[in-house]
Amino acid sequence: MSTDDVFLNLKNKVPKESQNGLKERLGKADETAILRLQTLKLKNPTICLMVSIFLGGLGGDRFYIGDKILFAVKCTIGILLALFDVSGERDGGTLHMVAGLSNLAFVLFVLLDMSLCYKKCKKINIQSINESLKNI
């Protein structure tokens, strides 16, 4: 497999600002480095985004990229908010307003975190690639 083919396979898995440097380093890489890259286990940013969309409120996206602490935090907050939301009737007063605002804040955080997870997934991939190509 040529270095151009390897670059095309890796291009969508790394940040845009790292692509030129990666292509340059691949041009200097020997056959064993190329083979090492082909067997490297990288995260798929598209899958990360899909996990964020469907399981982001429970921290599934953070679990996918290996961020166990934020996974636990998001999962705990998501479950607590869901339990708090269905835990009883509200009279429309202060409790109702606090619950609504906390749910809104959490939804906004989950939406923002989708982008952050997507970018972090690509950053993790380029770090793995750089580690694999560290002698070049």
PDB file of all heavy atoms in Angstrom, residues 55-91:
ATOM      1  N   LEU A  55     -26.050   8.701  22.659  1.00  0.00           N
ATOM      2  CA  LEU A  55     -25.744   8.377  24.053  1.00  0.00           C
ATOM      3  C   LEU A  55     -24.949   9.460  24.765  1.00  0.00           C
ATOM      4  O   LEU A  55     -24.392   9.213  25.835  1.00  0.00           O
ATOM      5  CB  LEU A  55     -24.967   7.048  24.117  1.00  0.00           C
ATOM      6  CG  LEU A  55     -25.712   5.814  23.633  1.00  0.00           C
ATOM      7  CD1 LEU A  55     -24.771   4.626  23.562  1.00  0.00           C
ATOM      8  CD2 LEU A  55     -26.900   5.515  24.508  1.00  0.00           C
ATOM      9  N   GLY A  56     -24.903  10.650  24.193  1.00  0.00           N
ATOM     10  CA  GLY A  56     -24.121  11.732  24.770  1.00  0.00           C
ATOM     11  C   GLY A  56     -24.604  12.146  26.147  1.00  0.00           C
ATOM     12  O   GLY A  56     -23.812  12.493  27.013  1.00  0.00           O
ATOM     13  N   GLY A  57     -25.913  12.105  26.370  1.00  0.00           N
ATOM     14  CA  GLY A  57     -26.460  12.487  27.669  1.00  0.00           C
ATOM     15  C   GLY A  57     -26.087  11.532  28.775  1.00  0.00           C
ATOM     16  O   GLY A  57     -26.127  11.885  29.956  1.00  0.00           O
ATOM     17  N   LEU A  58     -25.719  10.332  28.407  1.00  0.00           N
ATOM     18  CA  LEU A  58     -25.283   9.338  29.396  1.00  0.00           C
ATOM     19  C   LEU A  58     -23.778   9.141  29.383  1.00  0.00           C
ATOM     20  O   LEU A  58     -23.254   8.234  30.019  1.00  0.00           O
ATOM     21  CB  LEU A  58     -25.986   8.002  29.151  1.00  0.00           C
ATOM     22  CG  LEU A  58     -27.500   8.025  29.366  1.00  0.00           C
ATOM     23  CD1 LEU A  58     -28.112   6.690  28.972  1.00  0.00           C
ATOM     24  CD2 LEU A  58     -27.827   8.352  30.807  1.00  0.00           C
ATOM     25  N   GLY A  59     -23.069   9.960  28.620  1.00  0.00           N
ATOM     26  CA  GLY A  59     -21.611   9.907  28.610  1.00  0.00           C
ATOM     27  C   GLY A  59     -21.016   8.859  27.700  1.00  0.00           C
ATOM     28  O   GLY A  59     -19.819   8.583  27.780  1.00  0.00           O
ATOM     29  N   GLY A  60     -21.820   8.271  26.824  1.00  0.00           N
ATOM     30  CA  GLY A  60     -21.312   7.229  25.938  1.00  0.00           C
ATOM     31  C   GLY A  60     -20.181   7.694  25.042  1.00  0.00           C
ATOM     32  O   GLY A  60     -19.255   6.933  24.752  1.00  0.00           O
ATOM     33  N   ASP A  61     -20.237   8.958  24.626  1.00  0.00           N
ATOM     34  CA  ASP A  61     -19.186   9.495  23.777  1.00  0.00           C
ATOM     35  C   ASP A  61     -17.862   9.581  24.516  1.00  0.00           C
ATOM     36  O   ASP A  61     -16.807   9.262  23.982  1.00  0.00           O
ATOM     37  CB  ASP A  61     -19.588  10.855  23.218  1.00  0.00           C
ATOM     38  CG  ASP A  61     -20.126  11.814  24.274  1.00  0.00           C
ATOM     39  OD1 ASP A  61     -20.239  11.427  25.457  1.00  0.00           O
ATOM     40  OD2 ASP A  61     -20.446  12.962  23.916  1.00  0.00           O
ATOM     41  N   ARG A  62     -17.913   9.982  25.764  1.00  0.00           N
ATOM     42  CA  ARG A  62     -16.694  10.066  26.571  1.00  0.00           C
ATOM     43  C   ARG A  62     -16.133   8.673  26.853  1.00  0.00           C
ATOM     44  O   ARG A  62     -14.923   8.472  26.894  1.00  0.00           O
ATOM     45  CB  ARG A  62     -16.954  10.812  27.880  1.00  0.00           C
ATOM     46  CG  ARG A  62     -17.182  12.287  27.675  1.00  0.00           C
ATOM     47  CD  ARG A  62     -15.914  12.922  27.175  1.00  0.00           C
ATOM     48  NE  ARG A  62     -16.104  14.324  26.839  1.00  0.00           N
ATOM     49  CZ  ARG A  62     -15.116  15.133  26.570  1.00  0.00           C
ATOM     50  NH1 ARG A  62     -13.873  14.710  26.588  1.00  0.00           N
ATOM     51  NH2 ARG A  62     -15.354  16.378  26.260  1.00  0.00           N
ATOM     52  N   PHE A  63     -17.013   7.700  27.041  1.00  0.00           N
ATOM     53  CA  PHE A  63     -16.572   6.323  27.241  1.00  0.00           C
ATOM     54  C   PHE A  63     -15.876   5.814  25.977  1.00  0.00           C
ATOM     55  O   PHE A  63     -14.842   5.156  26.055  1.00  0.00           O
ATOM     56  CB  PHE A  63     -17.759   5.435  27.605  1.00  0.00           C
ATOM     57  CG  PHE A  63     -17.384   4.030  27.934  1.00  0.00           C
ATOM     58  CD1 PHE A  63     -16.891   3.711  29.188  1.00  0.00           C
ATOM     59  CD2 PHE A  63     -17.501   3.022  27.001  1.00  0.00           C
ATOM     60  CE1 PHE A  63     -16.530   2.423  29.509  1.00  0.00           C
ATOM     61  CE2 PHE A  63     -17.148   1.721  27.308  1.00  0.00           C
ATOM     62  CZ  PHE A  63     -16.664   1.421  28.567  1.00  0.00           C
ATOM     63  N   TYR A  64     -16.430   6.143  24.811  1.00  0.00           N
ATOM     64  CA  TYR A  64     -15.863   5.695  23.544  1.00  0.00           C
ATOM     65  C   TYR A  64     -14.436   6.187  23.348  1.00  0.00           C
ATOM     66  O   TYR A  64     -13.574   5.447  22.876  1.00  0.00           O
ATOM     67  CB  TYR A  64     -16.747   6.149  22.372  1.00  0.00           C
ATOM     68  CG  TYR A  64     -16.211   5.770  21.018  1.00  0.00           C
ATOM     69  CD1 TYR A  64     -16.258   4.456  20.574  1.00  0.00           C
ATOM     70  CD2 TYR A  64     -15.640   6.727  20.179  1.00  0.00           C
ATOM     71  CE1 TYR A  64     -15.754   4.095  19.334  1.00  0.00           C
ATOM     72  CE2 TYR A  64     -15.136   6.382  18.944  1.00  0.00           C
ATOM     73  CZ  TYR A  64     -15.191   5.063  18.524  1.00  0.00           C
ATOM     74  OH  TYR A  64     -14.684   4.717  17.299  1.00  0.00           O
ATOM     75  N   ILE A  65     -14.174   7.446  23.719  1.00  0.00           N
ATOM     76  CA  ILE A  65     -12.821   7.980  23.512  1.00  0.00           C
ATOM     77  C   ILE A  65     -11.894   7.692  24.691  1.00  0.00           C
ATOM     78  O   ILE A  65     -10.732   8.057  24.666  1.00  0.00           O
ATOM     79  CB  ILE A  65     -12.837   9.488  23.185  1.00  0.00           C
ATOM     80  CG1 ILE A  65     -13.435  10.315  24.307  1.00  0.00           C
ATOM     81  CG2 ILE A  65     -13.511   9.742  21.868  1.00  0.00           C
ATOM     82  CD1 ILE A  65     -13.335  11.808  24.087  1.00  0.00           C
ATOM     83  N   GLY A  66     -12.415   7.034  25.723  1.00  0.00           N
ATOM     84  CA  GLY A  66     -11.568   6.617  26.838  1.00  0.00           C
ATOM     85  C   GLY A  66     -11.476   7.612  27.974  1.00  0.00           C
ATOM     86  O   GLY A  66     -10.608   7.476  28.840  1.00  0.00           O
ATOM     87  N   ASP A  67     -12.341   8.593  28.000  1.00  0.00           N
ATOM     88  CA  ASP A  67     -12.337   9.607  29.057  1.00  0.00           C
ATOM     89  C   ASP A  67     -13.292   9.156  30.165  1.00  0.00           C
ATOM     90  O   ASP A  67     -14.445   9.577  30.231  1.00  0.00           O
ATOM     91  CB  ASP A  67     -12.758  10.951  28.472  1.00  0.00           C
ATOM     92  CG  ASP A  67     -12.400  12.119  29.351  1.00  0.00           C
ATOM     93  OD1 ASP A  67     -12.057  11.902  30.525  1.00  0.00           O
ATOM     94  OD2 ASP A  67     -12.461  13.259  28.850  1.00  0.00           O
ATOM     95  N   LYS A  68     -12.797   8.283  31.033  1.00  0.00           N
ATOM     96  CA  LYS A  68     -13.649   7.616  32.027  1.00  0.00           C
ATOM     97  C   LYS A  68     -14.210   8.570  33.089  1.00  0.00           C
ATOM     98  O   LYS A  68     -15.336   8.402  33.549  1.00  0.00           O
ATOM     99  CB  LYS A  68     -12.872   6.491  32.728  1.00  0.00           C
ATOM    100  CG  LYS A  68     -12.261   5.470  31.800  1.00  0.00           C
ATOM    101  CD  LYS A  68     -13.289   4.602  31.143  1.00  0.00           C
ATOM    102  CE  LYS A  68     -12.702   3.428  30.431  1.00  0.00           C
ATOM    103  NZ  LYS A  68     -12.247   3.616  29.102  1.00  0.00           N
ATOM    104  N   ILE A  69     -13.447   9.589  33.459  1.00  0.00           N
ATOM    105  CA  ILE A  69     -13.913  10.504  34.508  1.00  0.00           C
ATOM    106  C   ILE A  69     -15.094  11.327  34.005  1.00  0.00           C
ATOM    107  O   ILE A  69     -16.135  11.414  34.671  1.00  0.00           O
ATOM    108  CB  ILE A  69     -12.766  11.399  35.009  1.00  0.00           C
ATOM    109  CG1 ILE A  69     -11.726  10.539  35.731  1.00  0.00           C
ATOM    110  CG2 ILE A  69     -13.289  12.503  35.921  1.00  0.00           C
ATOM    111  CD1 ILE A  69     -10.463  11.267  36.113  1.00  0.00           C
ATOM    112  N   LEU A  70     -14.959  11.927  32.818  1.00  0.00           N
ATOM    113  CA  LEU A  70     -16.083  12.702  32.285  1.00  0.00           C
ATOM    114  C   LEU A  70     -17.262  11.804  31.932  1.00  0.00           C
ATOM    115  O   LEU A  70     -18.409  12.237  31.996  1.00  0.00           O
ATOM    116  CB  LEU A  70     -15.660  13.524  31.079  1.00  0.00           C
ATOM    117  CG  LEU A  70     -15.092  14.891  31.425  1.00  0.00           C
ATOM    118  CD1 LEU A  70     -14.618  15.614  30.186  1.00  0.00           C
ATOM    119  CD2 LEU A  70     -16.084  15.738  32.168  1.00  0.00           C
ATOM    120  N   PHE A  71     -16.992  10.553  31.550  1.00  0.00           N
ATOM    121  CA  PHE A  71     -18.080   9.604  31.334  1.00  0.00           C
ATOM    122  C   PHE A  71     -18.890   9.442  32.619  1.00  0.00           C
ATOM    123  O   PHE A  71     -20.122   9.536  32.613  1.00  0.00           O
ATOM    124  CB  PHE A  71     -17.539   8.245  30.879  1.00  0.00           C
ATOM    125  CG  PHE A  71     -18.467   7.098  31.155  1.00  0.00           C
ATOM    126  CD1 PHE A  71     -19.652   6.967  30.447  1.00  0.00           C
ATOM    127  CD2 PHE A  71     -18.169   6.161  32.130  1.00  0.00           C
ATOM    128  CE1 PHE A  71     -20.515   5.910  30.705  1.00  0.00           C
ATOM    129  CE2 PHE A  71     -19.026   5.111  32.392  1.00  0.00           C
ATOM    130  CZ  PHE A  71     -20.202   4.986  31.674  1.00  0.00           C
ATOM    131  N   ALA A  72     -18.199   9.222  33.724  1.00  0.00           N
ATOM    132  CA  ALA A  72     -18.893   9.020  35.001  1.00  0.00           C
ATOM    133  C   ALA A  72     -19.667  10.273  35.416  1.00  0.00           C
ATOM    134  O   ALA A  72     -20.808  10.180  35.891  1.00  0.00           O
ATOM    135  CB  ALA A  72     -17.884   8.633  36.085  1.00  0.00           C
ATOM    136  N   VAL A  73     -19.077  11.443  35.209  1.00  0.00           N
ATOM    137  CA  VAL A  73     -19.747  12.698  35.573  1.00  0.00           C
ATOM    138  C   VAL A  73     -20.999  12.904  34.725  1.00  0.00           C
ATOM    139  O   VAL A  73     -22.083  13.186  35.252  1.00  0.00           O
ATOM    140  CB  VAL A  73     -18.773  13.896  35.429  1.00  0.00           C
ATOM    141  CG1 VAL A  73     -19.497  15.217  35.540  1.00  0.00           C
ATOM    142  CG2 VAL A  73     -17.661  13.794  36.464  1.00  0.00           C
ATOM    143  N   LYS A  74     -20.872  12.753  33.398  1.00  0.00           N
ATOM    144  CA  LYS A  74     -22.025  12.959  32.516  1.00  0.00           C
ATOM    145  C   LYS A  74     -23.116  11.933  32.782  1.00  0.00           C
ATOM    146  O   LYS A  74     -24.302  12.274  32.793  1.00  0.00           O
ATOM    147  CB  LYS A  74     -21.600  12.889  31.043  1.00  0.00           C
ATOM    148  CG  LYS A  74     -21.001  14.151  30.524  1.00  0.00           C
ATOM    149  CD  LYS A  74     -20.571  14.020  29.076  1.00  0.00           C
ATOM    150  CE  LYS A  74     -21.723  14.056  28.116  1.00  0.00           C
ATOM    151  NZ  LYS A  74     -21.272  14.067  26.707  1.00  0.00           N
ATOM    152  N   CYS A  75     -22.717  10.701  32.987  1.00  0.00           N
ATOM    153  CA  CYS A  75     -23.683   9.644  33.244  1.00  0.00           C
ATOM    154  C   CYS A  75     -24.442   9.910  34.545  1.00  0.00           C
ATOM    155  O   CYS A  75     -25.677   9.815  34.591  1.00  0.00           O
ATOM    156  CB  CYS A  75     -22.981   8.291  33.292  1.00  0.00           C
ATOM    157  SG  CYS A  75     -24.098   6.892  33.382  1.00  0.00           S
ATOM    158  N   THR A  76     -23.722  10.266  35.582  1.00  0.00           N
ATOM    159  CA  THR A  76     -24.343  10.537  36.879  1.00  0.00           C
ATOM    160  C   THR A  76     -25.295  11.731  36.799  1.00  0.00           C
ATOM    161  O   THR A  76     -26.437  11.656  37.265  1.00  0.00           O
ATOM    162  CB  THR A  76     -23.263  10.797  37.950  1.00  0.00           C
ATOM    163  OG1 THR A  76     -22.395   9.666  38.005  1.00  0.00           O
ATOM    164  CG2 THR A  76     -23.874  11.045  39.306  1.00  0.00           C
ATOM    165  N   ILE A  77     -24.841  12.810  36.190  1.00  0.00           N
ATOM    166  CA  ILE A  77     -25.700  13.995  36.075  1.00  0.00           C
ATOM    167  C   ILE A  77     -26.920  13.699  35.211  1.00  0.00           C
ATOM    168  O   ILE A  77     -28.045  14.087  35.552  1.00  0.00           O
ATOM    169  CB  ILE A  77     -24.903  15.195  35.529  1.00  0.00           C
ATOM    170  CG1 ILE A  77     -23.871  15.645  36.554  1.00  0.00           C
ATOM    171  CG2 ILE A  77     -25.835  16.357  35.169  1.00  0.00           C
ATOM    172  CD1 ILE A  77     -22.916  16.704  36.047  1.00  0.00           C
ATOM    173  N   GLY A  78     -26.722  12.996  34.117  1.00  0.00           N
ATOM    174  CA  GLY A  78     -27.838  12.650  33.242  1.00  0.00           C
ATOM    175  C   GLY A  78     -28.889  11.809  33.941  1.00  0.00           C
ATOM    176  O   GLY A  78     -30.097  12.056  33.827  1.00  0.00           O
ATOM    177  N   ILE A  79     -28.443  10.810  34.689  1.00  0.00           N
ATOM    178  CA  ILE A  79     -29.381   9.946  35.415  1.00  0.00           C
ATOM    179  C   ILE A  79     -30.078  10.718  36.524  1.00  0.00           C
ATOM    180  O   ILE A  79     -31.300  10.614  36.705  1.00  0.00           O
ATOM    181  CB  ILE A  79     -28.647   8.697  35.948  1.00  0.00           C
ATOM    182  CG1 ILE A  79     -28.269   7.782  34.784  1.00  0.00           C
ATOM    183  CG2 ILE A  79     -29.516   7.951  36.960  1.00  0.00           C
ATOM    184  CD1 ILE A  79     -27.376   6.633  35.153  1.00  0.00           C
ATOM    185  N   LEU A  80     -29.316  11.522  37.271  1.00  0.00           N
ATOM    186  CA  LEU A  80     -29.925  12.304  38.353  1.00  0.00           C
ATOM    187  C   LEU A  80     -30.962  13.290  37.819  1.00  0.00           C
ATOM    188  O   LEU A  80     -32.038  13.442  38.411  1.00  0.00           O
ATOM    189  CB  LEU A  80     -28.853  13.037  39.156  1.00  0.00           C
ATOM    190  CG  LEU A  80     -27.992  12.172  40.067  1.00  0.00           C
ATOM    191  CD1 LEU A  80     -26.903  13.019  40.722  1.00  0.00           C
ATOM    192  CD2 LEU A  80     -28.829  11.475  41.122  1.00  0.00           C
ATOM    193  N   LEU A  81     -30.652  13.952  36.718  1.00  0.00           N
ATOM    194  CA  LEU A  81     -31.622  14.883  36.147  1.00  0.00           C
ATOM    195  C   LEU A  81     -32.868  14.160  35.641  1.00  0.00           C
ATOM    196  O   LEU A  81     -33.985  14.657  35.798  1.00  0.00           O
ATOM    197  CB  LEU A  81     -30.992  15.706  35.028  1.00  0.00           C
ATOM    198  CG  LEU A  81     -30.051  16.821  35.478  1.00  0.00           C
ATOM    199  CD1 LEU A  81     -29.404  17.481  34.270  1.00  0.00           C
ATOM    200  CD2 LEU A  81     -30.774  17.847  36.328  1.00  0.00           C
ATOM    201  N   ALA A  82     -32.666  13.003  35.053  1.00  0.00           N
ATOM    202  CA  ALA A  82     -33.821  12.234  34.583  1.00  0.00           C
ATOM    203  C   ALA A  82     -34.681  11.786  35.768  1.00  0.00           C
ATOM    204  O   ALA A  82     -35.913  11.871  35.727  1.00  0.00           O
ATOM    205  CB  ALA A  82     -33.358  11.040  33.770  1.00  0.00           C
ATOM    206  N   LEU A  83     -34.048  11.323  36.828  1.00  0.00           N
ATOM    207  CA  LEU A  83     -34.800  10.908  38.017  1.00  0.00           C
ATOM    208  C   LEU A  83     -35.489  12.091  38.677  1.00  0.00           C
ATOM    209  O   LEU A  83     -36.646  12.000  39.107  1.00  0.00           O
ATOM    210  CB  LEU A  83     -33.872  10.214  39.021  1.00  0.00           C
ATOM    211  CG  LEU A  83     -33.346   8.846  38.613  1.00  0.00           C
ATOM    212  CD1 LEU A  83     -32.339   8.348  39.632  1.00  0.00           C
ATOM    213  CD2 LEU A  83     -34.484   7.862  38.446  1.00  0.00           C
ATOM    214  N   PHE A  84     -34.810  13.195  38.755  1.00  0.00           N
ATOM    215  CA  PHE A  84     -35.381  14.398  39.361  1.00  0.00           C
ATOM    216  C   PHE A  84     -36.569  14.907  38.544  1.00  0.00           C
ATOM    217  O   PHE A  84     -37.563  15.362  39.090  1.00  0.00           O
ATOM    218  CB  PHE A  84     -34.313  15.492  39.471  1.00  0.00           C
ATOM    219  CG  PHE A  84     -34.799  16.767  40.096  1.00  0.00           C
ATOM    220  CD1 PHE A  84     -35.149  16.801  41.436  1.00  0.00           C
ATOM    221  CD2 PHE A  84     -34.906  17.919  39.346  1.00  0.00           C
ATOM    222  CE1 PHE A  84     -35.600  17.974  42.024  1.00  0.00           C
ATOM    223  CE2 PHE A  84     -35.350  19.098  39.923  1.00  0.00           C
ATOM    224  CZ  PHE A  84     -35.702  19.126  41.264  1.00  0.00           C
ATOM    225  N   ASP A  85     -36.469  14.778  37.228  1.00  0.00           N
ATOM    226  CA  ASP A  85     -37.520  15.266  36.342  1.00  0.00           C
ATOM    227  C   ASP A  85     -38.806  14.466  36.472  1.00  0.00           C
ATOM    228  O   ASP A  85     -39.892  15.003  36.327  1.00  0.00           O
ATOM    229  CB  ASP A  85     -37.027  15.244  34.897  1.00  0.00           C
ATOM    230  CG  ASP A  85     -37.853  16.124  33.994  1.00  0.00           C
ATOM    231  OD1 ASP A  85     -38.279  17.202  34.454  1.00  0.00           O
ATOM    232  OD2 ASP A  85     -38.072  15.737  32.834  1.00  0.00           O
ATOM    233  N   VAL A  86     -38.689  13.176  36.746  1.00  0.00           N
ATOM    234  CA  VAL A  86     -39.882  12.329  36.847  1.00  0.00           C
ATOM    235  C   VAL A  86     -40.243  11.996  38.289  1.00  0.00           C
ATOM    236  O   VAL A  86     -41.120  11.177  38.530  1.00  0.00           O
ATOM    237  CB  VAL A  86     -39.690  11.008  36.052  1.00  0.00           C
ATOM    238  CG1 VAL A  86     -39.507  11.289  34.586  1.00  0.00           C
ATOM    239  CG2 VAL A  86     -38.550  10.189  36.605  1.00  0.00           C
ATOM    240  N   SER A  87     -39.598  12.644  39.242  1.00  0.00           N
ATOM    241  CA  SER A  87     -39.781  12.262  40.641  1.00  0.00           C
ATOM    242  C   SER A  87     -41.029  12.839  41.293  1.00  0.00           C
ATOM    243  O   SER A  87     -41.221  12.658  42.476  1.00  0.00           O
ATOM    244  CB  SER A  87     -38.542  12.650  41.454  1.00  0.00           C
ATOM    245  OG  SER A  87     -38.426  14.053  41.496  1.00  0.00           O
ATOM    246  N   GLY A  88     -41.846  13.532  40.581  1.00  0.00           N
ATOM    247  CA  GLY A  88     -43.066  14.001  41.211  1.00  0.00           C
ATOM    248  C   GLY A  88     -43.654  15.198  40.522  1.00  0.00           C
ATOM    249  O   GLY A  88     -43.109  15.755  39.577  1.00  0.00           O
ATOM    250  N   GLU A  89     -44.802  15.570  40.997  1.00  0.00           N
ATOM    251  CA  GLU A  89     -45.522  16.717  40.459  1.00  0.00           C
ATOM    252  C   GLU A  89     -44.867  18.004  40.928  1.00  0.00           C
ATOM    253  O   GLU A  89     -44.345  18.083  42.024  1.00  0.00           O
ATOM    254  CB  GLU A  89     -46.976  16.677  40.931  1.00  0.00           C
ATOM    255  CG  GLU A  89     -47.740  15.487  40.402  1.00  0.00           C
ATOM    256  CD  GLU A  89     -47.917  15.523  38.903  1.00  0.00           C
ATOM    257  OE1 GLU A  89     -48.186  16.606  38.352  1.00  0.00           O
ATOM    258  OE2 GLU A  89     -47.780  14.459  38.275  1.00  0.00           O
ATOM    259  N   ARG A  90     -44.954  18.997  40.083  1.00  0.00           N
ATOM    260  CA  ARG A  90     -44.456  20.308  40.460  1.00  0.00           C
ATOM    261  C   ARG A  90     -45.618  21.285  40.410  1.00  0.00           C
ATOM    262  O   ARG A  90     -46.511  21.169  39.583  1.00  0.00           O
ATOM    263  CB  ARG A  90     -43.349  20.743  39.513  1.00  0.00           C
ATOM    264  CG  ARG A  90     -42.116  19.895  39.640  1.00  0.00           C
ATOM    265  CD  ARG A  90     -41.016  20.466  38.762  1.00  0.00           C
ATOM    266  NE  ARG A  90     -39.976  19.477  38.641  1.00  0.00           N
ATOM    267  CZ  ARG A  90     -39.936  18.544  37.695  1.00  0.00           C
ATOM    268  NH1 ARG A  90     -40.851  18.487  36.771  1.00  0.00           N
ATOM    269  NH2 ARG A  90     -38.961  17.670  37.670  1.00  0.00           N
ATOM    270  N   ASP A  91     -45.570  22.263  41.237  1.00  0.00           N
ATOM    271  CA  ASP A  91     -46.649  23.243  41.294  1.00  0.00           C
ATOM    272  C   ASP A  91     -46.399  24.444  40.389  1.00  0.00           C
ATOM    273  O   ASP A  91     -47.169  25.393  40.403  1.00  0.00           O
ATOM    274  CB  ASP A  91     -46.855  23.704  42.731  1.00  0.00           C
ATOM    275  CG  ASP A  91     -45.610  24.356  43.322  1.00  0.00           C
ATOM    276  OD1 ASP A  91     -44.578  24.413  42.624  1.00  0.00           O
ATOM    277  OD2 ASP A  91     -45.667  24.801  44.479  1.00  0.00           O
TER     278      ASP A  91
END
